[in-house]
Amino acid sequence: MSELQTLQADLLARVDAADSAEAVETIRVEALGKQGRITALLKSLGAMTPEERQVEGPAIHGLREAVTNAIGARKAALERAALDARLAAETLDMTLPASGVPAGTVHPVSQVMDELAEIFADLGFAVAAGPEIEDDWHNFSALNIPETHPARAMHDTFYFPDEGEKRMLLRTHTSPVQIRTMMKDKPPIRIIAPGRVYRSDSDATHTPMFHQIEGLVIDRGITLGHLKWTLETFLKAFFERDDIVLRLRASYFPFTEPSVEVDVGYSIVKGKRVIGGSEGWMEVLGSGMVHRKVIEACGLDPNEWQGFAFGTGVDRLAMLKYGMDDLRPFFDGDLRWLRHYGFAALDVPTLSGGVGVSA
């Protein structure tokens, strides 16, 4: 028996006797590693004559192939044996509950949107929607906002390049939804219009894109008293407190007359402002009676139909209710922030159980 045949028989016998993956790996390194015995034989081919290589080359390559195949087969056999032993030893109790899986959370803005929809649905309001890309007439002109009003300036509004007769823009409020609803539906009308709006502004309490909710009531005999009752009922339900106190201050909005800013009372608890009581006042809403010109622009008779409207920021309401002091993280996409402030998927707001707790 030649030296190569002896080496092959020895290596194959050791591979066949190996009882673990570690032992097989040791043999592989010894035979086929950088300093291995078969590797050394392969390197020696370079110093041989062509005639010698014709004889020794096939034999050495055959040795390498035989040992490589044996190592692969032994590894596979050992892995199958280990799996068989594990399957025989392990059991699975099908009656045990499934292991927990990672669950996402509901963004505070989405949660508050649901809370607001639940509250106003109980008050008889429907949810209305409209396009976020609006034309100048629906966003400004129909709302009695003149050409000289600052809101029309480029530094406040995102305009698209002029194309055609209509000047297009990203809506600055959800008020165009009110206009579209009054032009499409016959009174009486009771709607809320939640959605994204866009203004050229950015700091700790303002972002270029934010969320707003507006409300509109059009009916016969509507007064400012109806507006105050609606807002008071809404804020008591949203903040889940009965000591909500409102203060209406005269203001100016082009689309309402009279116009009022709505302040809500707050108290200082452990050094922080908490909505409720009347130690101080904080502005939370803008509102008023719908202007006659707005009603006329929608094809209705202001002598027959009256109404009120109001609007507030959804993000601002979330900050006040859930103790957030910076608006920018709402849109940063930081999962750590969302895990801290987010809501479980089953935290569905209900008026009976509380709009901020699970059903």
Side-chain angles (χ1 to χ4, degrees):
M1 182 180 293
S2 68
E3 183 179 348
L4 290 181
Q5 291 175 327
T6 302
L7 177 59
Q8 178 173 324
D10 176 60
L11 290 174
L12 294 180
R14 290 177 59 191
V15 169
D16 188 58
D19 58 0
S20 67
E22 292 77 9
V24 174
E25 179 64 14
T26 299
I27 298 171
R28 186 196 69 78
V29 172
E30 180 184 330
L32 301 170
K34 289 184 178 181
Q35 306 298 324
R37 297 168 68 182
I38 296 177
T39 303
L41 291 173
L42 290 170
K43 291 178 179 179
S44 69
L45 291 173
M48 296 180 183
T49 65
E51 294 75 14
E52 290 175 329
R53 278 199 297 273
Q54 279 188 324
V55 176
E56 298 295 332
I60 295 173
H61 284 292
L63 169 63
R64 181 182 63 176
E65 184 175 354
V67 173
T68 300
N69 291 339
I71 288 174
R74 188 56 181 164
K75 279 185 176 181
L78 290 171
E79 289 173 356
R80 285 196 301 271
L83 178 60
D84 291 341
R86 181 179 175 185
L87 292 175
E90 291 182 354
T91 58
L92 178 64
D93 188 349
M94 299 299 293
T95 65
L96 291 175
S99 58
V101 296
T105 55
V106 177
H107 195 283
V109 168
S110 299
Q111 174 72 13
V112 171
M113 286 276 203
D114 289 343
E115 294 178 13
L116 297 175
E118 182 73 25
I119 292 169
F120 282 106
D122 194 60
L123 296 176
F125 285 69
V127 177
E132 294 179 21
I133 298 177
E134 267 294 0
D135 59 74
D136 184 87
W137 189 85
H138 283 92
N139 197 81
F140 292 126
S141 300
L143 289 159
N144 195 36
I145 300 176
E147 291 284 348
T148 55
H149 196 281
R152 288 179 178 257
M154 294 291 292
H155 62 266
D156 281 338
T157 301
F158 294 106
Y159 285 96
F160 289 93
D162 289 341
E163 293 183 5
E165 297 180 359
K166 292 184 178 179
R167 194 177 188 192
M168 306 303 291
L169 50 91
L170 292 175
R171 66 182 182 186
T172 60
H173 44 191
T174 58
S175 301
V177 179
Q178 299 182 29
I179 299 298
R180 293 179 178 275
T181 301
M182 283 192 282
M183 296 182 68
K184 178 173 63 75
D185 300 336
K186 294 182 178 180
I189 295 170
R190 289 176 176 81
I191 63 160
I192 56 171
R196 286 185 291 266
V197 297
Y198 306 84
R199 297 179 189 175
S200 184
D201 201 357
S202 182
D203 56 42
T205 57
H206 299 84
T207 54
M209 185 281 288
F210 57 100
H211 299 83
Q212 192 179 61
I213 183 168
E214 296 190 8
L216 172 71
V217 170
I218 299 292
D219 207 337
R220 295 183 177 91
I222 297 298
T223 69
L224 205 60
H226 296 120
L227 169 63
K228 183 179 180 183
W229 179 89
T230 301
L231 296 180
E232 191 173 66
T233 303
F234 148 57
L235 291 171
K236 284 181 177 180
F238 178 73
F239 288 107
E240 302 179 54
R241 295 180 66 118
D242 292 326
D243 60 346
I244 296 294
V245 182
L246 298 188
R247 183 178 69 176
L248 305 186
R249 289 182 292 108
S251 186
Y252 166 75
F253 303 112
F255 33 81
T256 53
E257 180 59 39
S259 303
V260 291
E261 297 277 7
V262 181
D263 298 336
V264 64
Y266 66 83
S267 303
I268 302 298
V269 179
K270 297 180 179 179
K272 293 185 178 182
R273 287 188 297 185
V274 177
I275 300 298
S278 57
E279 291 183 35
W281 299 96
M282 179 189 307
E283 183 270 322
V284 293
L285 286 146
S287 62
M289 303 301 293
V290 180
H291 200 291
R292 290 176 60 90
K293 290 185 178 180
V294 175
I295 295 176
E296 287 176 345
C298 296
L300 301 176
D301 182 359
N303 294 318
E304 180 182 4
W305 302 104
Q306 302 82 45
F308 64 77
F310 58 88
T312 187
V314 176
D315 318 274
R316 176 170 168 76
L317 290 178
M319 293 172 71
L320 289 174
K321 182 171 182 177
Y322 296 112
M324 307 164 190
D325 56 6
D326 195 326
L327 182 61
R328 290 167 292 190
F330 276 67
F331 312 107
D332 284 346
D334 190 330
L335 289 178
R336 295 168 300 177
W337 182 90
L338 189 56
R339 290 189 186 104
H340 180 74
Y341 287 109
F343 292 82
L346 296 180
D347 283 350
V348 180
T350 62
L351 289 178
S352 59
V355 293
V357 299
S358 59

